[in-house]
């Protein structure tokens, strides 16, 4: 860890109610379709290109060639594990409100229960370009006895996936409150310190897909050392972000001191995850 059935009699709806419903759903639909959305597929393969093309069509996404060109002008150490700052740069380069990071693979699996089979899966990350925050994450996995059957199952679910993304794109992002941040150069400041260091769980899902990732989280502490706000600023999905937030909220801290007096402070914590290797 590092600082930095009730039955009622039917009544015809009043015209005003019908009008209200029409306006409400009209606004809802406008919010969805007025957003500029891009689909990014960093790792290309025949199946990923098919999924990307169908997803783009269903979402009325920006032109794929323009998105690809803009995306290639950006850099990120791990595109599926970016900081919010890196994600904002990607969104700005493309000129979109949201972007979808898409990872699609098909591989051979083997288990005692099922024997040999094939899994085709798509990992979907929906990112808010303005904040860089991960709005929605999900893995869609389909299995069958052949590659083509597994991939066919995945492709038939694109419309359903698109619907989830459209709904998730309507989100509220609260403004970050102003607060002093910990600095090692400030000699008048005594850093906060957790009374007990807790380790977030490496999730079963992350282990299954051999995910190696770093999670950075900003933590706001009040004058009593209580956690008042958390924000993931390097995300990865696979339940790791939630594991970190849950763990941090359980921690108790010795408050920070400024010139000997307790003060609220913001600190940066970092957690590294990698696949659990089995002992031989």
């Amino acid at each position: 860890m590092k600082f930095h059935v009730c039955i009622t009699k039917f009544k015809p709806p009043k015209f005003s109610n019908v009008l209200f419903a029409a306006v409400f759903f009209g606004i809802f639909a406008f919010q969805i379709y007025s957003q500029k959305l891009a689909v990014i597929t960093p790792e290309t393969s025949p199946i990923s290109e098919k999924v990307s093309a169908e997803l783009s069509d269903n979402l009325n996404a920006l032109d794929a060639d323009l998105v690809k060109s803009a995306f290639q002008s950006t850099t990120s150490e791990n595109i599926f594990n970016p900081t919010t700052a890196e994600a904002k740069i990607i969104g700005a380069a493309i000129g979109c409100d949201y972007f979808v990071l898409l990872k699609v693979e098909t591989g051979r699996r083997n288990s005692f229960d099922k024997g040999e089979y094939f899994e085709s899966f798509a990992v979907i990350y929906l990112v808010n370009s303005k904040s860089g925050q991960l709005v929605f994450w999900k893995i869609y996995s389909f299995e069958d006895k052949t590659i083509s059957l597994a991939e066919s199952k995945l492709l038939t679910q694109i419309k359903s996936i698109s619907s989830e993304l459209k709904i998730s794109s309507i989100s509220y992002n609260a403004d970050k409150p102003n607060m002093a941040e910990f600095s090692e150069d400030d000699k008048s400041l005594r850093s906060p310190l957790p009374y007990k260091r807790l380790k977030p769980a490496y999730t079963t899902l992350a282990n299954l897909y051999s995910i190696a990732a770093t999670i950075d989280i900003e933590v706001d502490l009040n004058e009593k050392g209580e956690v008042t706000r958390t924000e993931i600023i390097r995300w990865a999905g696979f339940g790791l972000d939630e594991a970190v937030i849950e763990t941090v909220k359980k921690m108790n801290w010795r408050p920070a001191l400024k010139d000997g007096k307790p003060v609220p402070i913001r600190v940066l914590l970092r957690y590294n995850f990698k696949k659990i290797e089995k002992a031989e």
Side-chain angles (χ1 to χ4, degrees):
M1 181 176 72
K2 183 181 179 181
F3 284 112
H4 287 228
V5 184
C6 178
I7 301 175
T8 59
K9 185 177 180 180
F10 172 76
K11 294 182 180 180
K14 294 182 180 179
F15 175 76
S16 59
N17 292 339
V18 174
L19 180 61
F20 172 79
V23 171
F24 175 80
F25 287 110
I27 293 173
F28 180 75
F30 175 77
Q31 286 179 307
I32 292 174
Y33 293 106
S34 64
Q35 303 287 358
K36 291 182 180 179
L37 192 145
V39 176
I40 304 171
T41 314
E43 302 170 350
T44 59
S45 66
I47 181 60
S48 68
E49 290 178 355
K50 288 181 181 178
V51 173
S52 178
E54 291 202 25
L55 196 60
S56 295
D57 287 343
N58 278 274
L59 293 171
N60 193 28
L62 297 175
D63 180 79
D65 291 334
L66 293 177
V67 170
K68 183 177 180 180
S69 178
F71 171 68
Q72 290 177 339
S73 69
T74 66
T75 58
S76 178
E77 184 177 342
N78 184 346
I79 188 57
F80 296 110
N81 181 209
T83 64
T84 52
E86 291 171 333
K88 287 193 286 186
I89 291 172
I90 293 171
I94 296 171
C96 57
D97 299 300
Y98 294 84
F99 63 86
V100 173
L101 278 174
L102 177 64
K103 182 181 181 69
V104 184
E105 290 185 11
T106 301
R108 190 192 305 272
R109 296 281 193 182
N110 212 312
S111 71
F112 290 111
D113 297 333
K114 303 175 184 177
E116 187 177 275
Y117 63 96
F118 290 89
E119 178 196 23
S120 186
F121 67 88
V123 186
I124 304 284
Y125 303 87
L126 177 65
V127 185
N128 184 305
S129 296
K130 183 179 179 180
S131 67
Q133 290 288 341
L134 182 62
V135 175
F136 172 87
W137 173 90
K138 193 170 182 178
I139 184 167
Y140 300 84
S141 176
F142 303 91
E143 303 169 357
D144 218 307
K145 58 185 178 181
T146 68
I147 293 176
S148 60
L149 288 174
E151 292 181 345
S152 178
K153 285 183 176 180
L154 170 57
L155 289 170
T156 60
Q157 295 300 309
I158 300 302
K159 286 186 178 181
S160 176
I161 295 172
S162 301
S163 296
E164 287 195 73
L165 291 173
K166 289 173 183 176
I167 293 172
S168 298
S169 66
I170 301 177
S171 60
Y172 171 74
N173 293 284
D175 292 331
K176 183 187 298 187
N178 292 321
M179 182 174 287
E181 298 187 14
F182 172 73
S183 172
E184 294 180 350
D185 297 329
D186 189 344
K187 302 304 180 182
S188 66
L189 181 67
R190 187 189 75 174
S191 66
L193 188 69
Y195 290 114
K196 184 177 181 180
R197 298 179 186 272
L198 303 178
K199 184 178 180 180
Y202 182 61
T203 64
T204 301
L205 190 62
N207 192 54
L208 177 63
Y209 289 93
S210 303
I211 301 300
T214 296
I215 306 297
D216 289 346
I217 182 171
E218 281 185 348
V219 184
D220 288 0
L221 305 170
N222 63 18
E223 297 90 337
K224 297 179 181 179
E226 299 168 332
V227 176
T228 59
R229 187 191 72 94
T230 63
E231 181 179 336
I232 296 293
I233 60 170
R234 181 189 291 270
W235 44 260
F238 291 86
L240 297 175
D241 307 338
E242 292 81 0
V244 168
I245 292 172
E246 182 182 353
T247 298
V248 167
K249 288 184 175 180
K250 292 178 180 178
M251 295 169 66
N252 295 313
W253 293 72
R254 182 191 72 183
L257 296 179
K258 176 75 171 177
D259 296 324
K261 296 181 179 180
V263 291
I265 198 78
R266 176 173 295 148
V267 296
L268 174 68
L269 305 181
R270 173 168 292 171
Y271 296 91
N272 297 307
F273 297 90
K274 64 180 180 179
K275 183 177 176 62
I276 301 171
E277 300 295 339
K278 294 182 179 180
E280 299 194 9

PDB file of all heavy atoms in Angstrom, residues 109-125:
ATOM      1  N   ARG A 109     -11.243 -24.490 -22.950  1.00  0.00           N
ATOM      2  CA  ARG A 109     -11.309 -24.686 -21.506  1.00  0.00           C
ATOM      3  C   ARG A 109     -11.416 -26.166 -21.201  1.00  0.00           C
ATOM      4  O   ARG A 109     -11.804 -26.973 -22.050  1.00  0.00           O
ATOM      5  CB  ARG A 109     -12.522 -23.958 -20.906  1.00  0.00           C
ATOM      6  CG  ARG A 109     -12.499 -22.448 -21.021  1.00  0.00           C
ATOM      7  CD  ARG A 109     -11.612 -21.837 -19.988  1.00  0.00           C
ATOM      8  NE  ARG A 109     -11.788 -20.394 -19.869  1.00  0.00           N
ATOM      9  CZ  ARG A 109     -11.099 -19.631 -19.052  1.00  0.00           C
ATOM     10  NH1 ARG A 109     -10.190 -20.171 -18.256  1.00  0.00           N
ATOM     11  NH2 ARG A 109     -11.295 -18.323 -19.004  1.00  0.00           N
ATOM     12  N   ASN A 110     -11.115 -26.514 -19.981  1.00  0.00           N
ATOM     13  CA  ASN A 110     -11.203 -27.911 -19.554  1.00  0.00           C
ATOM     14  C   ASN A 110     -11.578 -27.953 -18.081  1.00  0.00           C
ATOM     15  O   ASN A 110     -11.032 -27.181 -17.285  1.00  0.00           O
ATOM     16  CB  ASN A 110      -9.867 -28.625 -19.767  1.00  0.00           C
ATOM     17  CG  ASN A 110     -10.054 -30.098 -20.091  1.00  0.00           C
ATOM     18  OD1 ASN A 110     -10.801 -30.779 -19.406  1.00  0.00           O
ATOM     19  ND2 ASN A 110      -9.376 -30.586 -21.124  1.00  0.00           N
ATOM     20  N   SER A 111     -12.520 -28.799 -17.734  1.00  0.00           N
ATOM     21  CA  SER A 111     -12.901 -28.936 -16.330  1.00  0.00           C
ATOM     22  C   SER A 111     -13.325 -30.369 -16.055  1.00  0.00           C
ATOM     23  O   SER A 111     -13.636 -31.129 -16.977  1.00  0.00           O
ATOM     24  CB  SER A 111     -14.060 -27.987 -15.988  1.00  0.00           C
ATOM     25  OG  SER A 111     -15.259 -28.423 -16.591  1.00  0.00           O
ATOM     26  N   PHE A 112     -13.305 -30.748 -14.783  1.00  0.00           N
ATOM     27  CA  PHE A 112     -13.702 -32.102 -14.403  1.00  0.00           C
ATOM     28  C   PHE A 112     -15.169 -32.343 -14.727  1.00  0.00           C
ATOM     29  O   PHE A 112     -15.561 -33.435 -15.137  1.00  0.00           O
ATOM     30  CB  PHE A 112     -13.455 -32.333 -12.905  1.00  0.00           C
ATOM     31  CG  PHE A 112     -11.998 -32.409 -12.541  1.00  0.00           C
ATOM     32  CD1 PHE A 112     -11.405 -31.397 -11.799  1.00  0.00           C
ATOM     33  CD2 PHE A 112     -11.221 -33.486 -12.949  1.00  0.00           C
ATOM     34  CE1 PHE A 112     -10.067 -31.459 -11.470  1.00  0.00           C
ATOM     35  CE2 PHE A 112      -9.871 -33.557 -12.610  1.00  0.00           C
ATOM     36  CZ  PHE A 112      -9.294 -32.544 -11.871  1.00  0.00           C
ATOM     37  N   ASP A 113     -16.006 -31.322 -14.541  1.00  0.00           N
ATOM     38  CA  ASP A 113     -17.447 -31.469 -14.752  1.00  0.00           C
ATOM     39  C   ASP A 113     -17.835 -31.467 -16.226  1.00  0.00           C
ATOM     40  O   ASP A 113     -18.666 -32.265 -16.658  1.00  0.00           O
ATOM     41  CB  ASP A 113     -18.208 -30.344 -14.045  1.00  0.00           C
ATOM     42  CG  ASP A 113     -18.012 -30.383 -12.545  1.00  0.00           C
ATOM     43  OD1 ASP A 113     -17.766 -31.489 -12.009  1.00  0.00           O
ATOM     44  OD2 ASP A 113     -18.096 -29.320 -11.910  1.00  0.00           O
ATOM     45  N   LYS A 114     -17.219 -30.578 -17.014  1.00  0.00           N
ATOM     46  CA  LYS A 114     -17.633 -30.393 -18.398  1.00  0.00           C
ATOM     47  C   LYS A 114     -16.709 -31.050 -19.415  1.00  0.00           C
ATOM     48  O   LYS A 114     -17.067 -31.207 -20.580  1.00  0.00           O
ATOM     49  CB  LYS A 114     -17.718 -28.894 -18.715  1.00  0.00           C
ATOM     50  CG  LYS A 114     -18.648 -28.116 -17.812  1.00  0.00           C
ATOM     51  CD  LYS A 114     -18.563 -26.624 -18.130  1.00  0.00           C
ATOM     52  CE  LYS A 114     -19.410 -25.805 -17.164  1.00  0.00           C
ATOM     53  NZ  LYS A 114     -19.282 -24.349 -17.429  1.00  0.00           N
ATOM     54  N   GLY A 115     -15.528 -31.421 -18.997  1.00  0.00           N
ATOM     55  CA  GLY A 115     -14.571 -31.931 -19.955  1.00  0.00           C
ATOM     56  C   GLY A 115     -14.016 -30.774 -20.776  1.00  0.00           C
ATOM     57  O   GLY A 115     -13.907 -29.652 -20.303  1.00  0.00           O
ATOM     58  N   GLU A 116     -13.702 -31.027 -22.038  1.00  0.00           N
ATOM     59  CA  GLU A 116     -13.168 -29.983 -22.904  1.00  0.00           C
ATOM     60  C   GLU A 116     -14.289 -29.231 -23.605  1.00  0.00           C
ATOM     61  O   GLU A 116     -15.213 -29.831 -24.136  1.00  0.00           O
ATOM     62  CB  GLU A 116     -12.225 -30.588 -23.946  1.00  0.00           C
ATOM     63  CG  GLU A 116     -11.502 -29.550 -24.786  1.00  0.00           C
ATOM     64  CD  GLU A 116     -10.522 -30.173 -25.758  1.00  0.00           C
ATOM     65  OE1 GLU A 116      -9.370 -30.436 -25.347  1.00  0.00           O
ATOM     66  OE2 GLU A 116     -10.920 -30.431 -26.920  1.00  0.00           O
ATOM     67  N   TYR A 117     -14.198 -27.905 -23.610  1.00  0.00           N
ATOM     68  CA  TYR A 117     -15.192 -27.064 -24.274  1.00  0.00           C
ATOM     69  C   TYR A 117     -14.525 -25.748 -24.652  1.00  0.00           C
ATOM     70  O   TYR A 117     -13.342 -25.523 -24.365  1.00  0.00           O
ATOM     71  CB  TYR A 117     -16.391 -26.803 -23.361  1.00  0.00           C
ATOM     72  CG  TYR A 117     -16.064 -26.051 -22.094  1.00  0.00           C
ATOM     73  CD1 TYR A 117     -16.234 -24.669 -22.019  1.00  0.00           C
ATOM     74  CD2 TYR A 117     -15.582 -26.712 -20.966  1.00  0.00           C
ATOM     75  CE1 TYR A 117     -15.938 -23.967 -20.864  1.00  0.00           C
ATOM     76  CE2 TYR A 117     -15.272 -26.020 -19.803  1.00  0.00           C
ATOM     77  CZ  TYR A 117     -15.452 -24.651 -19.756  1.00  0.00           C
ATOM     78  OH  TYR A 117     -15.137 -23.968 -18.612  1.00  0.00           O
ATOM     79  N   PHE A 118     -15.290 -24.868 -25.323  1.00  0.00           N
ATOM     80  CA  PHE A 118     -14.762 -23.572 -25.722  1.00  0.00           C
ATOM     81  C   PHE A 118     -15.582 -22.453 -25.085  1.00  0.00           C
ATOM     82  O   PHE A 118     -16.799 -22.569 -24.950  1.00  0.00           O
ATOM     83  CB  PHE A 118     -14.779 -23.424 -27.247  1.00  0.00           C
ATOM     84  CG  PHE A 118     -13.786 -24.313 -27.937  1.00  0.00           C
ATOM     85  CD1 PHE A 118     -14.144 -25.606 -28.325  1.00  0.00           C
ATOM     86  CD2 PHE A 118     -12.492 -23.885 -28.176  1.00  0.00           C
ATOM     87  CE1 PHE A 118     -13.231 -26.440 -28.942  1.00  0.00           C
ATOM     88  CE2 PHE A 118     -11.567 -24.716 -28.799  1.00  0.00           C
ATOM     89  CZ  PHE A 118     -11.933 -25.992 -29.178  1.00  0.00           C
ATOM     90  N   GLU A 119     -14.883 -21.418 -24.683  1.00  0.00           N
ATOM     91  CA  GLU A 119     -15.537 -20.243 -24.103  1.00  0.00           C
ATOM     92  C   GLU A 119     -15.258 -19.031 -24.982  1.00  0.00           C
ATOM     93  O   GLU A 119     -14.103 -18.771 -25.343  1.00  0.00           O
ATOM     94  CB  GLU A 119     -15.015 -19.945 -22.696  1.00  0.00           C
ATOM     95  CG  GLU A 119     -15.650 -18.697 -22.084  1.00  0.00           C
ATOM     96  CD  GLU A 119     -14.897 -18.175 -20.880  1.00  0.00           C
ATOM     97  OE1 GLU A 119     -13.674 -18.474 -20.761  1.00  0.00           O
ATOM     98  OE2 GLU A 119     -15.491 -17.445 -20.078  1.00  0.00           O
ATOM     99  N   SER A 120     -16.308 -18.315 -25.336  1.00  0.00           N
ATOM    100  CA  SER A 120     -16.171 -17.045 -26.042  1.00  0.00           C
ATOM    101  C   SER A 120     -16.699 -15.965 -25.113  1.00  0.00           C
ATOM    102  O   SER A 120     -17.835 -16.053 -24.648  1.00  0.00           O
ATOM    103  CB  SER A 120     -16.970 -17.066 -27.354  1.00  0.00           C
ATOM    104  OG  SER A 120     -16.731 -15.887 -28.098  1.00  0.00           O
ATOM    105  N   PHE A 121     -15.862 -14.977 -24.817  1.00  0.00           N
ATOM    106  CA  PHE A 121     -16.299 -13.956 -23.874  1.00  0.00           C
ATOM    107  C   PHE A 121     -15.950 -12.556 -24.365  1.00  0.00           C
ATOM    108  O   PHE A 121     -15.009 -12.359 -25.145  1.00  0.00           O
ATOM    109  CB  PHE A 121     -15.692 -14.178 -22.483  1.00  0.00           C
ATOM    110  CG  PHE A 121     -14.195 -13.992 -22.399  1.00  0.00           C
ATOM    111  CD1 PHE A 121     -13.649 -12.732 -22.153  1.00  0.00           C
ATOM    112  CD2 PHE A 121     -13.335 -15.079 -22.543  1.00  0.00           C
ATOM    113  CE1 PHE A 121     -12.287 -12.564 -22.059  1.00  0.00           C
ATOM    114  CE2 PHE A 121     -11.966 -14.910 -22.461  1.00  0.00           C
ATOM    115  CZ  PHE A 121     -11.431 -13.654 -22.215  1.00  0.00           C
ATOM    116  N   ALA A 122     -16.747 -11.609 -23.905  1.00  0.00           N
ATOM    117  CA  ALA A 122     -16.505 -10.192 -24.187  1.00  0.00           C
ATOM    118  C   ALA A 122     -16.475  -9.441 -22.863  1.00  0.00           C
ATOM    119  O   ALA A 122     -17.396  -9.565 -22.061  1.00  0.00           O
ATOM    120  CB  ALA A 122     -17.588  -9.630 -25.094  1.00  0.00           C
ATOM    121  N   VAL A 123     -15.411  -8.705 -22.643  1.00  0.00           N
ATOM    122  CA  VAL A 123     -15.314  -7.840 -21.481  1.00  0.00           C
ATOM    123  C   VAL A 123     -15.645  -6.423 -21.940  1.00  0.00           C
ATOM    124  O   VAL A 123     -15.027  -5.907 -22.879  1.00  0.00           O
ATOM    125  CB  VAL A 123     -13.911  -7.868 -20.858  1.00  0.00           C
ATOM    126  CG1 VAL A 123     -13.889  -7.053 -19.560  1.00  0.00           C
ATOM    127  CG2 VAL A 123     -13.473  -9.304 -20.591  1.00  0.00           C
ATOM    128  N   ILE A 124     -16.637  -5.809 -21.301  1.00  0.00           N
ATOM    129  CA  ILE A 124     -17.108  -4.488 -21.688  1.00  0.00           C
ATOM    130  C   ILE A 124     -16.818  -3.481 -20.580  1.00  0.00           C
ATOM    131  O   ILE A 124     -17.193  -3.677 -19.425  1.00  0.00           O
ATOM    132  CB  ILE A 124     -18.637  -4.505 -21.943  1.00  0.00           C
ATOM    133  CG1 ILE A 124     -19.004  -5.549 -22.997  1.00  0.00           C
ATOM    134  CG2 ILE A 124     -19.124  -3.110 -22.323  1.00  0.00           C
ATOM    135  CD1 ILE A 124     -18.692  -5.171 -24.404  1.00  0.00           C
ATOM    136  N   TYR A 125     -16.113  -2.409 -20.941  1.00  0.00           N
ATOM    137  CA  TYR A 125     -15.890  -1.297 -20.023  1.00  0.00           C
ATOM    138  C   TYR A 125     -16.527  -0.050 -20.637  1.00  0.00           C
ATOM    139  O   TYR A 125     -16.155   0.343 -21.749  1.00  0.00           O
ATOM    140  CB  TYR A 125     -14.400  -1.012 -19.830  1.00  0.00           C
ATOM    141  CG  TYR A 125     -13.563  -2.161 -19.331  1.00  0.00           C
ATOM    142  CD1 TYR A 125     -13.007  -3.078 -20.221  1.00  0.00           C
ATOM    143  CD2 TYR A 125     -13.283  -2.302 -17.974  1.00  0.00           C
ATOM    144  CE1 TYR A 125     -12.200  -4.113 -19.779  1.00  0.00           C
ATOM    145  CE2 TYR A 125     -12.476  -3.336 -17.515  1.00  0.00           C
ATOM    146  CZ  TYR A 125     -11.936  -4.241 -18.419  1.00  0.00           C
ATOM    147  OH  TYR A 125     -11.137  -5.265 -17.984  1.00  0.00           O
TER     148      TYR A 125
END
